[in-house]
Amino acid sequence: MTEVMKRQTDIAELAAKVRDGDRRALARAITLVESGRADHREDALALLDAVGTDRQALRIGLSGTPGVGKSTFIESFGLMLTGQGKRVAVLAVDPSSARSGGSILGDKTRMDFLARDPNAFIRPSPSQTQLGGVARRSREAVALCEAAGYDVVLIETVGVGQSETVVSHMADLFVLLLAPAGGDELQGVKRGIMEMADLILVNKADGALKEQAIRTCADYAGALRLLRKREQDPDGFPKALMVSALETVGLETAWAEMLALVDWRREAGIWDATRTAQASYWFEEDVRQGLLEVLMADPATKARMQAAEAEVRAGALSPAAAAARVLGPLRKG
């Protein structure tokens, strides 16, 4: 058997195991699509074709401020769903160090009970300094989780900020998790991410923080009413709700609201339209990334960049002028 034939056989076997719901096979498959090696990329594309696109899960993007209790919420919410007989996949993106590129990848240790649930799959991935709070190949990891038969895929981003809105291009619902706080935090949450959120969940609505959570939820509900109504929402959405991940209070209500919104979007044709728009978005993104990689690999372009960068560092050329010099020959050619 030739090397090419062996690789094709291995990919076919891996695809079959993924579709059978084998968690180890799914982990191997995600590792393959996350790899930056050229030969691995070729195999990854073959694998994605082999697993097919006939299965769909509910994709929920989840973002929140640091310390809001995202891991606790995901564990409690995930256990509630698996208790209902659903299979849940969690793609938790950890921030990578800009200096070393490393990540802690500690999400499994923060979701110990969910990690041991046979109906759950948790995959921590490094963001690899990717803007948008999600790893570059998170979208393909989501597709693999769908192929493996998971009913719900939770995509946890690295934090909260304007760039976090990228997750909305791979999720069916976008949930913003916030903690009880005063007006300062409301001012600190960027308008862009507020406009993307389908649900705002005020967590930690328990104990001494419960009264503050009530006031905070009312503040966010008021802020949402000031936003322009979106075509993809029925009356009453987006909305703010209170939950306590620690005491598992409000989770069923939040899930019911998510399902109500999803059902409305399906009936209105918005679900399919959104998925189509997302596919187009990621096609363009892959083309952009591929063009950049091709240009960076071109010796002449690389030499022009190094020469221009040296002049920028010496103060002899502005960054804008240097960029124009590098791109000039490409525009002409």
Side-chain angles (χ1 to χ4, degrees):
M1 182 182 292
T2 66
E3 181 63 27
V4 173
M5 291 178 62
K6 184 178 183 303
R7 285 170 60 185
Q8 291 174 342
T9 301
D10 290 344
I11 291 299
E13 290 177 353
L14 181 59
K17 289 181 180 179
V18 168
R19 287 188 63 85
D20 285 342
D22 187 317
R23 291 196 295 181
R24 289 188 179 181
L26 178 57
R28 286 174 51 211
I30 294 176
T31 298
L32 180 62
V33 301
E34 288 179 343
S35 174
R37 284 176 44 177
D39 58 333
H40 285 179
R41 190 62 197 149
E42 184 179 339
D43 289 344
L45 294 175
L47 174 64
L48 290 167
D49 284 339
V51 297
T53 58
D54 57 310
R55 296 175 178 174
Q56 285 191 343
L58 174 55
R59 307 171 183 173
I60 302 175
L62 181 71
S63 188
T65 50
V68 74
K70 289 195 295 292
S71 296
T72 304
F73 172 82
I74 290 174
E75 180 164 60
S76 296
F77 188 66
L79 288 171
M80 180 196 73
L81 294 179
T82 57
Q84 296 176 4
K86 291 180 170 52
R87 300 183 68 217
V88 179
V90 180
L91 301 178
V93 184
D94 269 16
S96 295
S97 167
R99 180 174 298 178
S100 67
S103 297
I104 297 174
L105 302 179
D107 292 274
K108 277 195 173 183
T109 63
R110 296 194 296 268
M111 306 177 199
D112 186 50
F113 291 106
L114 187 60
R116 291 182 291 185
D117 192 316
N119 286 323
F121 172 81
I122 300 176
R123 171 70 182 209
S125 299
S127 66
Q128 300 172 340
T129 68
Q130 180 75 11
L131 181 65
V134 292
R136 181 181 173 188
R137 298 300 175 189
S138 293
R139 173 183 55 91
E140 293 172 351
V142 170
L144 289 171
C145 291
E146 289 185 316
Y150 285 91
D151 303 298
V152 179
V153 180
L154 295 169
I155 311 158
E156 179 197 2
T157 68
V158 298
V160 65
Q162 200 73 10
S163 65
E164 298 296 305
T165 56
V166 173
V167 76
S168 67
H169 293 293
M170 68 175 71
D172 302 309
L173 295 176
F174 187 27
V175 177
L176 181 59
L177 199 64
L178 299 172
D184 289 343
E185 180 166 332
L186 184 59
Q187 293 297 324
V189 176
K190 301 295 185 182
R191 181 182 176 91
I193 199 170
M194 287 276 288
E195 291 176 336
M196 291 290 183
D198 296 304
L199 280 179
I200 291 180
L201 301 182
V202 180
N203 193 24
K204 302 185 179 181
D206 48 58
L209 291 175
K210 187 170 184 177
E211 291 300 319
Q212 195 171 17
I214 294 173
R215 293 192 296 270
T216 301
C217 188
D219 287 342
Y220 286 119
L224 289 174
R225 284 193 291 270
L226 297 177
L227 298 178
R228 184 172 59 184
K229 181 172 173 56
R230 305 177 304 186
E231 293 182 357
Q232 70 266 35
D233 292 333
D235 291 339
F237 284 91
K239 60 176 60 178
L241 302 171
M242 292 188 304
V243 297
S244 169
L246 188 63
E247 296 182 353
T248 65
V249 174
L251 301 182
E252 292 188 1
T253 299
W255 176 236
E257 294 288 0
M258 293 178 199
L259 292 180
L261 181 56
V262 166
D263 289 342
W264 184 88
R265 286 180 176 172
R266 285 186 185 275
E267 292 176 5
I270 292 172
W271 172 285
D272 291 332
T274 300
R275 289 262 177 140
T276 299
Q278 289 174 346
S280 178
Y281 171 87
W282 288 108
F283 160 70
E284 293 179 2
E285 281 297 302
D286 276 356
V287 170
R288 289 191 190 97
Q289 291 289 340
L291 287 173
L292 183 60
E293 290 170 2
V294 169
L295 288 175
M296 294 301 292
D298 178 60
T301 302
K302 193 171 183 179
R304 285 199 302 274
M305 284 188 64
Q306 291 173 341
E309 183 181 5
E311 291 193 57
V312 170
R313 287 179 175 274
L317 199 62
S318 71
R325 179 183 294 180
V326 172
L327 296 174
L330 298 175
R331 292 193 176 105
K332 294 176 183 177

